[in-house]
Amino acid sequence: MWQSSPPGSIYDYIRVASFSIGPDGLIEQWSSRAAGLFGMSSTEAVGRDPVEAFMPAELRSDGHRRVGEILDGKEWTGLVPFRMPGEGGAHGVAEVYVMPSLTGRGERAALCIVVDVRALRRIETDLAASQAIFGQSPFGFVLFGTDFAVVRANQRFATVFGGAADDHRGRTVEDYLPRAEADRLSATLKRVLETGESVTDLQLVGPAPGGTQRRHWSMNLYRVHSGAGRPVGVAGLATDVTRRHIAAREAASARRNLALLNEASARIGNSLDLETTARELLDVAVPGFCDLATVDLYQGLLTGEEAAPGSWAPAHRDSAGGSAELRRVAHASAVADALPTAAAGSGPPGPDDLPPALGSVHRFPFGSPCATALRSGRVEDVPGDEMGFVQSTLAVPMVAHDTVVGLVQFSRTKGSEPFGERDRALATELAARAAVCIDNARLYRREHERALILQRSLLPPGDPEAAGLDIACRYLPGNTATEVGGDWFDVIELPGHRTALVVGDVMGRGLRAAVAMGELRTAVRTLALLDLEPAEVLSALDEVARGLGSPGGGERSEGLGGSGGAQWPSRAAQKSREADLSEVYLATCVYAVYDPVTRRCTFANAGHLPPAVVEPGMPARLIDVPPGMPLGVGGEPFEEVEVELSENALLTLYTDGLVESRDHPLDEGLDALRAVLTGPQMELEDACDHVLSTLDTRHGEDDIALLMARIQGLPEEAVGDWTLPREPRSVGRARELARSQLVAWDLDDLVDTTELLVSELVTNALRYGEGEIRLRLLRDRTLVCEVWDAGLVQPRRRRARDTDEGGRGLQLVGLLSAAWGSRRTPRGKTVWFELALPDGAPAAELSVEQLLSMY
């Protein structure tokens, strides 16, 4: 069967040509390939002497000799230089195979086969290069035929997959890869062969034949053509990238771990709540690090039990019955309907190994990995449950400042990659960061509770009482996410049934602010008992506030040299003062004094928000009290404003937490307060609750102190007020007036004592005072007697000597009265005493020791 050679055969590459020489030594036949090789047509070549036509002149003599030998029947093979016809003909070398032949008449002739030596050398070079690249390459080369069977493979490919290179001829991809990967590679080979589009970095995974290790390969595939462009197969370059894949996986794991640690730094510890911090840890870990996770904290830590450092989880707290009590405060799962692993023991799970419920208190069995981790402070591996879906679990103790505060368990389900050493280190770091935040939250909560206890202990207990006032108050501390503030309020009883109302706010937060508030509140009470004017109280309080930050309570200088020399502050004293200035406490305060007889209230303001008042049937308004500088600034005097309040008016004092927040400016808050206060009159307690529930206080951002007082005033029949001339008979007149008033009030039991003490005070006013005398009796919860005169000299109680005829009057007043004192007034002074109203029991008589103490 005849078959023509397809285009691109080997003859096309090696350029084989033929011609024949007749008996006369001339070219007799000239093939088409010879015409192409030498550049001469058959009409030009036939009949010519080949030596003369193609060989250079210097070689022609030898050429004629060789032709003669050939015609004599000698076979010859050799290299023959030739030259194309013409002056510019190209030179070349032909390898000529000359075979003697006979013509039909029996004459000697020759058949010549000519090959271009240059084409042979190119083919040899190409073959050598191809063999070098294919055979010596460190990469695996494989050539698939059009039937996708291996046509050729190099030794590197055979080294990876076993055997010699020739042993792989005829194999298919199913002989090298698992079924799924083989199908994927077959589909890719088919696509490359059909489309001619190359494929780079095709990732294939599977064990090498005869091995179990998981390998990764990268293959580049491209279609191979014949010289005529006919596809003959697909060539593949395979590279084992297992190490690179492992390195990339480790790098990705490292990046993931760094990202998790970065996320943990940003998300864990934003709250100072223990349970919230535990949930923040699991939000970071699941699902980025594990599939399941739980957090257990020691019960003593959550209940605020005080413990020495390191005593949460020492060995003595783990008895034979198991670990100390823990509470499950958080769990998280990335698997639907999955429960956290119990991790109670090391054996297969039993019916009692169900995981503790969220919020439950439990113990880990003695000898379990979790109990061991708590005792040792080291990470323990917990075997996966054989019956369930948990592959492995890490029990990681939460250690902060060498103290174990709890345990976190990280679990991965079957199908996930098991935990490695890098994962153990990351789990330890995550647990440690959360533990530090939890311990900080514990310490903060303890300080917050102590500050709150201190702050509440400094506030008035219950609802304070005052003459002519109904009072209701509220104090709302900030939540556990904010530190305790320095807000306070106070109600102070003053002589003459007057009442001081105080609301203040120390700038700053924490225990120091609470302590500063306590010091300022104590100072206010002390100054109030001196019965100073409101502006004077704030001025003195300003001095106190400026000394709070100083260890010595004020500035001191140390002299250089002896007494009388120049005083220069030492360097230590200067540094101390600079430190003191950085610790100055600033506070705002409103101090008001209410007189129930006149229903007048005198205000002084130290940088605080203005009081609000609601007159019956009128809208609420803010009292225009000049806002002085905050306490602690100093240098500016404080002003007073006196306001007469109507009966049943509502006076409101408050701190900025009630009307100011981050989202609402102060003006909006004040407008809202006025709107809430304006409305129908309600019970005072209900009014307080209504204000707090209606206003958008954003409770928790700041402390709130609220003091509301309903103005009642003393009725006219509860006041006796007389003016007496400055003459001796006014003493008797004063006794008569006091007796008559007490009888009218049905206070007969107090007549004798009141007469005696009124007589003493009026006598002292005549003897030591100036101007006319004023006597006033006030009846409310107690009986108050006041004697006014224009003298500025304050009475002073002293112990009389045995020979003194006087000096015992004030001692008598002090013994017989419940309280007594004196205060300055704008036009003199007032001396007063107070008696308790009778309760039906007989009055107490003075003892012999009390009577003898006056002598």
Side-chain angles (χ1 to χ4, degrees):
M1 180 177 179
W2 293 93
Q3 181 177 354
S4 62
S5 176
S9 66
I10 186 65
Y11 299 105
D12 294 331
Y13 288 103
I14 61 177
R15 302 181 68 180
V16 178
S18 64
F19 65 90
S20 62
I21 301 176
D24 53 0
L26 302 178
I27 296 174
E28 190 175 59
Q29 293 181 341
W30 188 254
S31 67
S32 298
R33 289 187 179 271
L37 176 63
F38 294 104
M40 296 178 62
S41 63
S42 58
T43 54
E44 294 175 318
V46 173
R48 296 189 60 179
D49 186 344
V51 175
E52 296 293 336
F54 304 110
M55 297 186 67
E58 63 274 13
L59 299 177
R60 288 175 184 172
S61 60
D62 185 60
H64 286 296
R65 181 176 59 81
R66 294 288 185 184
V67 172
E69 293 176 354
I70 292 170
L71 294 178
D72 288 339
K74 186 177 181 179
E75 190 172 301
W76 180 80
T77 301
L79 298 177
V80 179
F82 68 88
R83 178 178 59 81
M84 296 291 186
E87 295 298 329
H91 292 267
V93 177
E95 187 169 357
V96 181
Y97 301 88
V98 181
M99 295 170 287
S101 63
L102 295 175
T103 65
R105 296 188 296 271
E107 296 175 323
R108 294 181 183 274
L111 176 64
C112 300
I113 304 298
V114 183
V115 178
D116 190 346
V117 175
R118 293 173 299 176
L120 289 176
R121 296 294 177 267
R122 282 197 304 270
I123 293 174
E124 291 174 356
T125 302
D126 291 345
L127 288 175
S130 174
Q131 184 61 33
I133 294 174
F134 201 82
Q136 300 175 20
S137 172
F139 308 107
F141 270 96
V142 61
L143 177 63
F144 296 96
T146 55
D147 58 353
F148 308 127
V150 176
V151 176
R152 185 178 180 186
N154 68 349
Q155 189 57 43
R156 177 60 182 170
F157 185 87
T159 302
V160 174
F161 291 98
D166 292 339
D167 297 339
H168 292 273
R169 295 180 183 272
R171 293 184 179 179
T172 62
V173 293
E174 285 79 4
D175 298 321
Y176 302 102
L177 296 172
R179 179 61 179 272
E181 292 291 88
D183 291 344
R184 192 161 64 92
L185 178 57
S186 297
T188 305
L189 290 173
K190 183 177 180 181
R191 186 174 70 253
V192 171
L193 184 64
E194 291 176 351
T195 64
E197 296 179 357
S198 301
V199 173
T200 59
D201 197 23
L202 174 65
Q203 296 293 318
L204 300 172
V205 180
T212 58
Q213 183 181 3
R214 187 182 178 91
R215 310 291 295 180
H216 294 262
W217 290 280
S218 172
M219 287 200 72
N220 296 329
L221 302 173
Y222 57 95
R223 189 170 67 183
V224 180
H225 306 84
S226 66
R230 179 174 56 88
V232 296
V234 177
L237 174 64
T239 307
D240 189 343
V241 294
T242 303
R243 291 183 179 179
R244 187 177 72 186
H245 182 80
I246 294 174
R249 185 175 59 187
E250 290 180 352
S253 176
R255 287 193 299 269
R256 182 200 64 187
N257 292 351
L258 289 175
L260 277 174
L261 290 177
N262 184 60
E263 184 180 5
S265 300
R267 296 180 61 181
I268 299 177
N270 293 323
S271 169
L272 289 173
D273 179 75
L274 300 178
E275 291 83 353
T276 302
T277 302
R279 289 193 295 270
E280 290 171 347
L281 167 62
L282 300 193
D283 289 341
V284 172
V286 180
F289 176 68
C290 61
D291 302 316
L292 309 171
T294 62
V295 176
D296 299 287
L297 298 180
Y298 278 110
Q299 178 70 357
L301 179 78
L302 295 167
T303 57
E305 178 182 313
E306 292 293 338
S311 64
W312 290 115
H316 71 268
R317 290 184 67 91
D318 195 328
S319 62
S323 65
E325 287 187 341
L326 299 103
R327 186 193 303 172
R328 180 142 296 179
V329 296
H331 69 205
S333 172
V335 182
D337 301 328
L339 291 175
T341 176
S346 57
D352 297 331
D353 289 331
L354 292 176
L358 185 65
S360 63
V361 178
H362 64 95
R363 295 175 183 267
F364 289 114
F366 184 83
S368 65
C370 293
T372 303
L374 289 171
R375 285 196 307 272
S376 64
R378 295 190 298 270
V379 181
E380 293 290 331
D381 291 311
V382 181
D385 53 341
E386 298 178 1
M387 306 298 294
F389 55 86
V390 175
Q391 177 176 236
S392 62
T393 299
L394 294 179
V396 187
M398 305 178 73
V399 184
H401 310 116
D402 297 328
T403 300
V404 179
V405 298
L407 183 79
V408 56
Q409 297 179 64
F410 301 108
S411 302
R412 288 181 179 174
T413 57
K414 293 179 180 179
S416 299
E417 186 176 353
F419 291 112
E421 287 301 318
R422 192 188 301 274
D423 295 322
R424 292 170 64 91
L426 176 61
T428 303
E429 179 66 21
L430 289 174
R433 295 195 180 197
V436 170
C437 295
I438 286 175
D439 194 52
N440 290 341
R442 176 184 68 86
L443 296 175
Y444 170 78
R445 185 176 65 179
R446 184 178 66 183
E447 180 181 352
H448 186 274
E449 290 175 352
R450 290 177 177 177
L452 190 57
I453 291 172
L454 172 62
Q455 189 178 41
R456 288 191 179 277
S457 68
L458 296 174
L459 296 174
D463 290 331
E465 297 180 355
L469 291 175
D470 288 338
I471 297 177
C473 50
R474 297 288 187 273
Y475 172 72
L476 300 180
N479 55 34
T480 55
T482 59
E483 295 185 88
V484 170
D487 294 15
W488 91 92
F489 65 90
D490 207 347
V491 178
I492 308 169
E493 294 187 58
L494 299 178
H497 288 315
R498 294 171 305 132
T499 304
L501 304 175
V502 188
V503 168
D505 183 4
V506 176
M507 298 180 187
R509 292 185 175 276
L511 189 60
R512 292 163 59 86
V515 171
M517 178 271 284
E519 293 183 348
L520 289 177
R521 179 177 178 271
T522 302
V524 170
R525 280 191 159 266
T526 303
L527 294 170
L529 294 178
L530 295 177
D531 213 351
L532 301 176
E533 296 296 324
E536 294 177 331
V537 170
L538 292 185
S539 295
L541 196 61
D542 179 62
E543 294 293 335
V544 174
R546 281 191 285 169
L548 287 182
S550 171
E555 294 186 0
R556 293 193 298 268
S557 63
E558 300 178 7
L560 298 176
S563 61
Q567 298 293 316
W568 298 90
S570 68
R571 182 164 183 171
Q574 183 177 359
K575 286 185 177 181
S576 176
R577 282 196 298 274
E578 291 175 355
D580 294 344
L581 289 176
S582 66
E583 297 176 356
V584 166
Y585 288 93
L586 300 180
T588 62
C589 179
V590 167
Y591 185 87
V593 175
Y594 172 68
D595 187 344
V597 178
T598 62
R599 293 200 312 275
R600 287 185 171 272
C601 192
T602 305
F603 298 91
N605 190 350
H608 201 80
L609 296 174
V613 64
V614 184
E615 305 282 356
M618 300 292 291
R621 61 185 176 87
L622 300 178
I623 300 176
D624 187 13
V625 183
M629 299 300 292
L631 301 176
V633 175
E636 293 293 333
F638 297 97
E639 300 182 43
E640 294 180 358
V641 171
E642 187 177 68
V643 179
E644 183 175 352
L645 301 174
S646 303
E647 188 76 12
N648 289 324
L650 181 62
L651 178 64
T652 302
L653 304 179
Y654 52 92
T655 55
D656 57 357
L658 183 68
V659 295
E660 187 176 22
S661 68
R662 299 174 183 173
D663 301 326
H664 300 284
L666 179 59
D667 291 341
E668 290 184 8
L670 293 175
D671 292 339
L673 175 62
R674 289 197 297 268
V676 170
L677 293 176
T678 301
Q681 183 172 313
M682 60 181 67
E683 293 295 330
L684 205 55
E685 293 292 334
D686 295 338
C688 278
D689 295 336
H690 176 67
V691 169
L692 292 175
S693 62
T694 304
L695 290 180
D696 185 12
T697 61
R698 298 297 175 96
H699 174 52
E701 292 184 0
D702 196 3
D703 293 9
I704 297 175
L706 176 63
L707 177 62
M708 303 183 76
R710 182 85 68 189
I711 305 300
Q712 299 297 338
L714 289 181
E716 294 183 2
E717 59 270 18
V719 179
D721 195 349
W722 307 275
T723 301
L724 303 172
R726 190 172 187 80
E727 55 187 30
R729 63 179 182 176
S730 293
V731 177
R733 177 61 177 163
R735 287 198 298 267
E736 294 175 0
L737 293 172
R739 183 187 308 112
S740 301
Q741 187 64 65
L742 292 181
V743 170
W745 287 341
D746 294 328
L747 298 177
D748 301 63
D749 294 342
L750 300 181
V751 170
D752 292 339
T753 302
T754 304
E755 278 191 275
L756 177 59
L757 299 184
V758 166
S759 178
E760 288 293 334
L761 295 187
V762 174
T763 300
N764 285 343
L766 288 172
R767 182 177 298 178
Y768 305 108
E770 298 176 4
E772 61 182 6
I773 299 170
R774 181 181 176 189
L775 173 64
R776 189 167 75 168
L777 295 179
L778 305 175
R779 179 189 177 183
D780 192 67
R781 291 174 298 147
T782 61
L783 176 67
V784 174
C785 176
E786 298 174 330
V787 176
W788 306 36
D789 69 83
L792 298 178
V793 178
Q794 297 290 322
R796 182 173 61 89
R797 182 178 178 181
R798 63 182 178 85
R799 182 176 296 278
R801 292 174 295 183
D802 294 344
T803 57
D804 290 344
E805 295 182 0
R808 296 177 178 86
L810 292 181
Q811 284 184 272
L812 187 62
V813 173
L815 288 173
L816 296 178
S817 65
W820 78 280
S822 66
R823 67 178 184 273
R824 290 184 294 115
T825 64
R827 293 181 296 275
K829 67 177 181 296
T830 300
V831 183
W832 58 272
F833 67 84
E834 184 176 346
L835 295 175
L837 298 181
D839 55 1
E845 297 183 357
L846 294 178
S847 65
V848 176
E849 289 78 8
Q850 289 175 323
L851 292 174
L852 290 177
S853 67
M854 294 186 294
Y855 298 95

